Every structure is written in structure tokens, then in C-alpha cells.
């Protein structure tokens, strides 16, 4: 049998970071007491009318432009009809035949392009809670409608992805782009970014598509990768055994590391889509689109390239420094405050700062870029040693202390006074006759050890260069 290749397409739902819901003025907020952010419109009470949130349209267009999509001339909304307890209206307001955007895509690091089929705007449904707090409740499922009516974009890729690793990279890049644009917080734990994966296999080189399996219940990008790996192997195995696959939806079971069948094929005809008579279609002018385009910041890849070019830092550092928008902003602000050594600043951020503060938390914590710049300046001017800088660094980060003040308070100013250093050297020479003898007998390696002893005696405060000079002279 010929070797088989996988064909993958992703459907990603992203909640938009609006203040209010898409068709009513209820707060769009995660984590509130269930069923508190609701009104007749998002409850789907008869007679309530939806009013479109302008900001939701703007953010959706912004996301589409950042992903190089083509914005539709007319915006139109359709009803997607189905019954489920989290959907009180009995239909979801979505976009069917005229999505907000078509085309666009993301180019992967291996040069392959993953095209986008469409991006459309729609509303989220409520949430079902199957967890029971008591045995008694275990027969019930509870419904929280706070999420009903949250603005969503659905991003659908073409079946251009070939491996689970490409799917993973696509999702990472997509998330980063949307975060940069401040379109969504893309928090997967809170469900602001959710992904379904479609996968089929076919003989390598074939241009036909195999039978598509949709995988749901993917809670992380790693889960997407693992589920795809499992599913590709399963499909190959089935075909090799001479069985045929049927189009279906399968659920990823993260505990058992396998997918299992959930339901058979469903086609769009089952939803009986039709234009929502409560929402008139409208056009978005060129000027408005251009205005939104101007709001898009420099995107991560371009920013990383500029960091290399403008500041002369290594590519890997630039990649790390642009892994969140806040971290890149932090770096640039530190450089503005001390432009003499961007490389040193980059080094301190990647090697030291990220050990104390994870990149995702950079925007949320009170770490001052000016303080980090000061620290690098103090090392460069040899006001403090690198060792002392490292020692006080956690405090600078955690308590937001100014390093200059901290050095003053703690008496950490280095000892450059040669009389004091000489005293330390003599102390070490007297205390270590053996090693001194070895050194004098020609074992030069002992010298480094002796320098270390002097540094230790001075509690790391002696200027290492002076120690070297003075010790050599005394020996
Ligand atoms: P449907 O109409 O069933 O929702 P779509 O054509 O909208 O199907 O595609 C949904 C997703 O599935 C898209 O991301 C698309 O790229 C992907 N897809 C479609 N056909 C296949 C296939 N045969 N194998 C893998 N992915 C596919
Ligand atoms: Zn409401
Ligand atoms: Mg679809």
C-alpha cells in the first residue's frame, strides 16, 4: 500500500474582548455568579430584539485584517437552527453564506501557507454544568446562560495542514496575532479560545480528500496535537485493515489518550439556515475599514525582525522577547531608558527576568523596565558586580525596588578601595599556606581558587579585577 498522508483543517472559536455582549448590553465577563448577566434578549424571550454591538464588528474586522483576510462588502446575519439546552432561542445568530471575511492565512516557519476559508461573526451559547455537588444533584445538568450572546469569531482554515506539529504552530501563531491585536485574551482555560480539528488521510500525492473526522473537546494546543496524532494512526490502521471510514464527530478523551465516536455526520441542511429578519444587512465603508487597519500594531514576526535589525540582538532572543506583546513593550521601554546596551537588557530579560516572571504575566505584574535598565547600567559602569546584581534582582522584581536605592540601603557598593582589598588578600594568603605554596611551585590553576576565596571573604563586593591585580602582586 502507498504511504498515507494526513490532511487537517481547523475551526477556531475566539471570544471577542468587548465590554458587553453582541446583541444586548449585558456584561461580557467570565466567572460571575451563574445567570446574573442575562436579559430578555440573551435569554431568547419572545419579542426581545437584538441590537448589534458595533465594537464586536470592529474587533472581528481587526482580527480578519491582521490575518490578511478580505472583508465582505455587506454584513449579513443568519439563523442557525438547532435544539440544545444551552441555546434558549432555538437558533444561534451566525453568518452563513456571506462571512465577514474570506481568504487570508498564516505562513508557517517551514514556509508552508495555511489558508483561511473564512472568518465569521456569531454569538456564543450558554454553558451546561454536568458536575454535581451532591449525589442528589447527579441526575441533573445545570444551565448557566451568562455566556449566551458573547461575541465570537469562528476562523475556518482550508485543509492545508499536514502534520500535528503544523497544527500546533498554526494555533500558536494565530493566538499570538490575536493577542497582539487585543481582539481577545485568548485564554483557553476560560474558553475564550476553543478549537475543533478536522482530519482525514489519503495516499500521498493524491489530490482528493479522504473522509473527514471532526474532533471536539480539545482543551489545549497540546491536546490538539496529541488527538491528531492518535486519530491519524487510527484512520491509517482502519484503512490498512480494509475497513472504510464514515464521516463523524469524535471526542478526545485526554485521560485515556484516545478519540471516541460522538455522533454521525451532520450537514448544513440540517440547520435550515435563513437570514435573520431582526437584523438588517449593512455595509462597512472603506474608510471605516482603513481606520480599523491603522489600529493594528506591528505584528510579532515583523517586530522580532526589527529587534534583530535595530538592536543587534540574537534571533532567538528576539523570538522570546516578542512572545507576548507586553514583554516586547517591556524590552523597548527598558532600552529607551538605557539605550547604550540593548543586548545586555535582552540578556537580563531572557536569562533572569523570565525566571522570576513568566512571559504571560508580564503585563500584570509591577516590574519596572526602568529598574531593569538601571541594573544593567550599574553593571556596565562597574558600580556593582554581576554577582551582586543577581543577588538583589529578585527583590527588584518582586517588590518593585529601585536597584540604586537598594544598593545604598544594603551597603552593597563594591569595594574598590585597594587597601581594603589588600587586607582581604592578606587574610586569604595567611589562612591558606598549602594552596599558596602550590601556586608558587607553579600550579597556576590554584590562582583562580584563591581569587574565589578573596571574593568570598569580601561577600562578593570586591572588584574582581583589582583582586586579581593585588593578589598577583602579593603572591
Ligand atoms: P462542513 O461543511 O462539514 O463544516 P467545511 O467545508 O466547512 O465542512 O470544513 C470544515 C473544516 O474541515 C475546515 O477547516 C476544512 O478545512 C476541514 N476539512 C474539510 N474537508 C476535510 C477533509 N476531507 N479532511 C480534513 N479536513 C477537512
Ligand atoms: Zn443580555
Ligand atoms: Mg463548518
Amino acid at each position: 500500500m502507498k504511504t498515507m498522508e494526513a490532511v487537517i483543517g481547523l475551526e477556531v472559536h475566539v471570544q471577542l474582548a468587548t465590554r458587553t455582549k453582541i446583541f444586548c448590553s449585558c456584561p461580557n465577563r467570565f466567572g460571575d455568579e451563574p445567570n446574573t448577566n442575562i436579559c430578555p434578549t440573551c435569554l431568547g424571550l419572545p419579542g426581545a430584539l437584538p441590537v448589534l454591538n458595533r465594537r464586536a464588528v470592529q474587533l472581528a474586522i481587526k482580527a480578519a485584517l491582521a490575518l490578511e483576510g478580505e472583508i465582505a462588502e455587506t454584513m449579513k446575519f443568519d439563523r442557525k437552527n438547532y435544539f440544545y439546552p444551552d441555546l434558549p432561542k432555538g437558533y444561534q445568530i451566525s453568518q452563513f453564506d456571506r462571512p465577514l471575511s474570506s481568504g487570508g492565512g498564516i505562513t508557517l516557519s517551514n514556509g508552508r501557507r495555511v489558508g483561511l476559508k473564512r472568518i465569521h461573526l456569531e454569538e456564543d451559547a450558554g454553558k451546561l454544568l454536568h458536575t454535581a455537588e451532591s449525589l442528589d444533584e447527579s441526575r441533573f445538568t445545570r444551565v448557566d446562560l451568562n455566556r449566551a450572546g458573547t461575541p465570537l469569531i469562528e476562523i475556518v482554515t482550508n485543509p492545508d495542514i499536514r502534520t500535528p506539529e503544523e497544527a500546533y504552530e498554526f494555533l500558536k501563531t494565530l493566538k499570538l496575532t490575536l493577542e497582539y491585536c487585543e481582539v481577545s485574551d485568548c485564554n483557553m482555560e476560560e474558553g475564550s479560545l476553543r478549537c475543533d480539528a478536522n482530519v482525514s488521510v489519503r495516499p500521498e500525492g493524491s489530490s482528493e480528500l479522504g473522509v473527514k473526522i471532526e474532533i471536539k473537546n480539545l482543551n489545549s494546543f497540546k491536546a490538539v496535537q496529541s488527538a491528531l496524532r492518535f486519530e491519524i494512526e487510527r484512520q491509517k490502521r482502519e484503512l490498512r485493515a480494509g475497513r472504510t471510514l464514515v464521516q463523524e464527530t469524535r471526542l478526545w478523551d485526554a485521560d485515556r489518550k484516545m478519540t471516541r465516536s460522538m455522533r454521525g455526520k451532520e450537514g448544513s441542511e440540517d440547520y435550515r439556515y435563513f437570514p435573520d429578519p431582526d437584523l438588517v444587512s449593512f455595509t462597512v465603508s472603506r474608510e471605516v475599514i482603513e481606520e480599523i487597519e491603522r489600529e493594528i500594531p506591528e505584528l510579532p514576526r515583523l517586530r522580532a525582525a526589527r529587534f534583530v535589525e535595530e538592536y543587534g540582538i540574537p534571533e532567538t532572543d528576539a523570538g522570546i522577547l516578542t512572545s507576548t506583546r507586553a514583554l516586547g513593550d517591556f524590552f523597548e521601554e527598558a532600552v529607551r531608558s538605557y539605550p547604550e546596551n540593548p543586548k545586555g537588557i535582552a540578556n537580563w530579560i531572557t536569562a533572569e527576568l523570565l525566571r522570576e516572571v513568566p512571559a504571560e504575566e508580564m503585563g500584570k505584574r509591577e516590574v519596572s523596565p526602568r529598574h531593569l535598565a538601571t541594573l544593567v547600567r550599574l553593571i556596565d559602569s562597574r558600580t556593582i558586580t554581576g554577582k551582586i546584581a543577581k543577588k538583589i534582582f529578585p527583590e527588584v522584581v518582586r517588590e518593585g525596588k529601585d536597584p540604586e536605592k537598594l544598593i545604598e540601603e544594603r551597603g552593597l557598593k563594591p569595594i574598590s578601595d585597594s587597601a581594603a582589598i589588600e587586607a582581604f588578600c592578606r587574610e586569604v594568603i595567611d589562612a591558606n599556606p598549602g594552596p599558596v605554596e602550590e601556586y608558587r611551585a607553579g600550579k597556576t590553576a590554584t590562582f583562580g581558587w584563591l581569587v574565589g576565596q578573596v571574593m568570598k571573604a569580601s561577600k562578593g563586593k570586591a572588584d574582581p579585577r583589582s583582586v586579581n591585580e593585588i593578589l598577583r602582586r602579593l603572591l
Side-chain angles (χ1 to χ4, degrees):
M1 198 183 216
K2 278 188 91 174
T3 45
M4 307 288 275
E5 72 170 358
V7 173
I8 300 162
L10 301 172
E11 292 168 286
V12 185
H13 284 93
V14 179
Q15 290 182 344
L16 299 175
T18 53
R19 222 166 30 78
T20 56
K21 293 186 182 180
I22 185 168
F23 297 120
C24 64
S25 55
C26 293
N28 168 22
R29 202 164 48 216
F30 178 85
D32 284 3
E33 201 51 34
N35 299 310
T36 50
N37 300 328
I38 50 176
C39 74
T41 302
C42 54
L43 283 179
L45 299 188
L49 283 173
V51 178
L52 180 59
N53 180 339
R54 178 191 300 265
R55 189 73 192 138
V57 179
Q58 289 171 342
L59 290 180
I61 292 176
K62 193 177 181 186
L65 290 173
L67 295 165
E68 300 160 21
E70 182 73 36
I71 310 300
E73 285 187 359
T74 46
M75 298 291 151
K76 165 179 173 274
F77 289 93
D78 302 281
R79 291 186 179 180
K80 179 181 183 179
N81 300 281
Y82 65 93
F83 171 79
Y84 209 62
D86 63 6
L87 188 75
K89 287 204 294 290
Y91 61 86
Q92 176 193 26
I93 304 178
S94 181
Q95 295 184 301
F96 181 53
D97 54 343
R98 289 198 202 163
L100 178 126
S101 157
S102 324
I106 287 176
T107 304
L108 303 175
S109 56
N110 62 9
R112 296 201 55 248
R113 175 87 170 164
V114 178
L116 300 184
K117 190 171 167 186
R118 58 187 282 158
I119 299 176
H120 65 255
L121 185 56
E122 62 186 20
E123 60 178 341
D124 209 344
K127 207 152 69 185
L128 298 182
L129 300 145
H130 302 290
T131 49
E133 271 154 29
S134 69
L135 208 58
D136 228 26
E137 284 178 50
S138 63
R139 295 181 297 128
F140 302 101
T141 289
R142 291 179 290 174
V143 185
D144 175 8
L145 292 172
N146 280 352
R147 200 178 72 178
T150 296
L152 283 184
I153 46 173
E154 180 174 342
I155 300 161
V156 184
T157 76
N158 289 326
D160 292 345
I161 300 168
R162 292 291 170 269
T163 64
E165 293 69 34
E166 285 185 0
Y168 184 82
E169 189 192 340
F170 173 86
L171 289 168
K172 281 282 224 195
T173 312
L174 176 71
K175 177 171 184 274
L176 189 56
T177 305
L178 298 176
E179 281 169 349
Y180 259 67
C181 293
E182 291 172 323
V183 157
S184 171
D185 62 18
C186 294
N187 187 331
M188 278 194 101
E189 283 87 61
E190 295 182 357
S192 3
L193 190 154
R194 313 193 288 269
C195 173
D196 300 331
N198 300 273
V199 56
S200 59
V201 294
R202 66 180 178 192
E204 210 166 301
S206 160
S207 57
E208 274 163 53
L209 291 170
V211 176
K212 174 184 88 166
I213 304 287
E214 182 182 22
I215 315 171
K216 287 188 177 292
N217 200 33
L218 300 166
N219 296 322
S220 67
F221 294 167
K222 283 284 172 211
V224 173
Q225 200 173 328
S226 313
L228 283 170
R229 276 192 195 136
F230 173 87
E231 186 57 26
I232 291 165
E233 283 316 307
R234 188 190 70 85
Q235 291 183 19
K236 285 183 183 170
R237 218 166 37 235
E238 290 296 298
L239 294 180
R240 263 190 234 115
R243 289 186 284 266
T244 48
L245 296 160
V246 285
Q247 190 178 329
E248 61 173 347
T249 299
R250 298 178 71 87
L251 285 182
W252 172 242
D253 184 333
D255 295 327
R256 290 159 68 195
K257 299 234 177 306
M258 59 185 290
T259 63
R260 53 194 160 76
S261 186
M262 177 174 115
R263 61 163 187 247
K265 169 188 167 130
E266 102 242 311
S268 66
E269 60 277 8
D270 299 331
Y271 293 115
R272 210 173 68 80
Y273 280 97
F274 65 87
D276 192 316
D278 290 341
L279 292 155
V280 290
S281 59
F282 61 96
T283 52
V284 182
S285 71
R286 268 285 122 207
E287 294 81 74
V288 168
I289 292 175
E290 279 162 17
E291 207 173 291
I292 296 170
E293 191 149 34
R294 279 194 291 277
E295 279 181 35
I296 296 174
E298 181 184 34
L299 293 172
R301 272 206 201 129
L302 285 179
R303 193 180 209 190
R306 179 171 62 79
F307 280 7
V308 172
E309 169 85 21
E310 192 174 330
Y311 305 119
I313 61 173
E315 229 166 275
T316 41
D317 281 8
I320 296 168
L321 292 173
T322 50
S323 64
T324 69
R325 189 170 164 185
L327 191 60
D329 289 348
F330 184 96
F331 168 69
E332 291 211 277
E333 214 174 310
V335 171
R336 265 194 294 281
S337 145
Y338 178 54
E340 281 77 9
N341 188 0
K343 251 181 162 161
I345 289 172
N347 251 329
W348 268 81
I349 294 175
T350 54
E352 302 297 327
L353 181 62
L354 290 179
R355 206 182 352 219
E356 297 284 332
V357 189
E360 307 76 55
E361 285 183 30
M362 278 304 297
K364 299 172 206 156
R365 297 248 216 127
E366 284 301 307
V367 196
S368 154
R370 203 171 39 79
H371 289 166
L372 187 120
T374 304
L375 207 62
V376 177
R377 176 169 55 74
L378 292 174
I379 302 167
D380 288 352
S381 64
R382 301 181 66 212
T383 311
I384 56 171
T385 59
K387 208 168 179 175
I388 289 191
K390 276 187 191 156
K391 206 161 113 188
I392 63 170
F393 190 62
E395 268 175 277
V396 172
V397 173
R398 282 184 214 135
E399 288 151 45
K401 285 207 169 140
D402 183 336
E404 256 169 336
K405 277 212 190 94
L406 207 59
I407 289 159
E408 201 66 48
E409 277 169 26
R410 298 283 160 80
L412 292 173
K413 273 247 163 73
I415 305 167
S416 47
D417 167 25
S418 44
I421 293 176
E422 192 169 324
F424 285 125
C425 290
R426 287 193 190 284
E427 200 179 287
V428 167
I429 290 171
D430 292 346
N432 299 285
V436 168
E437 209 43 59
E438 278 174 27
Y439 172 74
R440 288 188 173 134
K443 197 172 165 203
T444 47
T446 316
F447 187 72
W449 183 84
L450 288 166
V451 170
Q453 296 305 300
V454 177
M455 291 306 293
K456 213 172 180 177
S458 77
K459 298 196 170 63
K461 292 196 286 183
D463 172 34
R465 243 195 257 176
S466 315
V467 173
N468 261 283
E469 272 166 35
I470 295 169
L471 193 62
R472 211 177 284 280
R473 175 163 54 75
L474 292 179
L475 286 170

